[in-house]
Amino acid sequence: MFDAQQIQDRVRELADELNEDYQDKSLLLIGILKGSMFFLADLIRFLRMDLAIDFISISTYGSSTQTTGVVRMLKDLENSVENQHLVIVEDIVDTGLTLGYLLKILKQRSPASLRVCTLLDKPSYRLMRVPVDYRGFEIGRKYVVGYGMDYQERYRHLPFICTLKKEICPL
């Protein structure tokens, strides 16, 4: 779907948008583990503001390719986010359930601002309306792997984003 160069070009463009919007602010990027790790690492290399990163692990999938609809917090943030400018960095937004839950939790912690940056967006798959402020690519109803995204904890290491053969992932 997207080769390594296309991804890097788009990540740089997203960083340019963030650099403009947060040029005079301190920023806390919140990476959603495990999928966002490649995207977050590449993104911060292009950012030119005072920033910090933290991680949270939250899931509605488990080892399945279909959401369970139940959101589980696996790892919370290590530091307070009160009065900080937050950007959630996500690999992919599909149903919106995970992101909606996370936004609700973080808003209760009184940040100065809260925005979402995702590499991939599947708006046609939404079960819950959620804001996406920075979007890399919009995709349809495909199950994708690579560049941090997995199928049963495999294929995260691929430098590109692709779909799997039906023999491997019959979706």
Side-chain angles (χ1 to χ4, degrees):
M1 291 185 75
F2 304 104
D3 65 34
Q5 189 60 55
Q6 289 174 300
I7 294 168
Q8 288 308 303
D9 291 346
R10 188 62 186 124
V11 170
R12 183 182 297 267
E13 292 169 356
L14 289 169
D16 289 344
E17 292 178 44
L18 287 162
N19 283 324
E20 185 173 321
D21 291 350
Y22 292 94
Q23 61 186 332
D24 298 322
K25 296 181 175 95
S26 181
L27 184 61
L28 175 60
L29 298 170
I30 299 174
I32 310 302
L33 293 174
K34 300 177 190 173
S36 73
M37 63 186 185
F38 289 91
F39 177 38
L40 177 60
D42 286 345
L43 183 67
I44 63 174
R45 289 183 183 102
F46 298 120
L47 294 177
R48 297 183 308 271
M49 79 282 295
D50 179 41
L51 66 88
I53 60 172
D54 203 345
F55 295 94
I56 197 164
S57 183
I58 193 167
S59 177
T60 60
Y61 282 86
S63 62
S64 174
T65 58
Q66 300 293 318
T67 182
T68 63
V70 177
V71 180
R72 295 182 325 139
M73 174 90 63
L74 305 174
K75 179 204 173 301
D76 202 348
L77 299 171
E78 294 181 13
N79 299 301
S80 171
V81 298
E82 187 174 0
N83 297 320
Q84 295 192 56
H85 296 284
L86 310 180
V87 173
I88 296 170
V89 179
E90 181 67 288
D91 56 348
I92 187 167
V93 177
D94 48 29
T95 65
L97 295 175
T98 303
L99 184 57
Y101 175 82
L102 183 56
L103 287 166
K104 179 181 174 186
I105 296 284
L106 291 175
K107 283 178 185 174
Q108 293 172 353
R109 297 179 184 183
S110 304
S113 67
L114 178 57
R115 289 185 160 172
V116 174
C117 178
T118 187
L119 181 63
L120 300 178
D121 190 15
K122 288 186 186 180
S124 65
Y125 206 65
R126 286 290 191 284
L127 298 176
M128 174 185 282
R129 288 174 49 126
V130 291
V132 175
D133 304 286
Y134 305 94
R135 174 182 297 110
F137 303 99
E138 187 173 310
I139 64 171
R141 293 176 159 258
K142 299 179 191 303
Y143 192 88
V144 295
V145 297
Y147 197 68
M149 292 165 276
D150 74 301
Y151 172 67
Q152 297 180 344
E153 293 299 326
R154 296 173 59 207
Y155 310 110
R156 287 187 197 279
H157 67 287
L158 300 174
F160 50 83
I161 297 171
C162 64
T163 59
L164 294 176
K165 292 181 180 178
K166 294 216 182 282
E167 303 85 56
I168 297 171
C169 180
L171 294 177

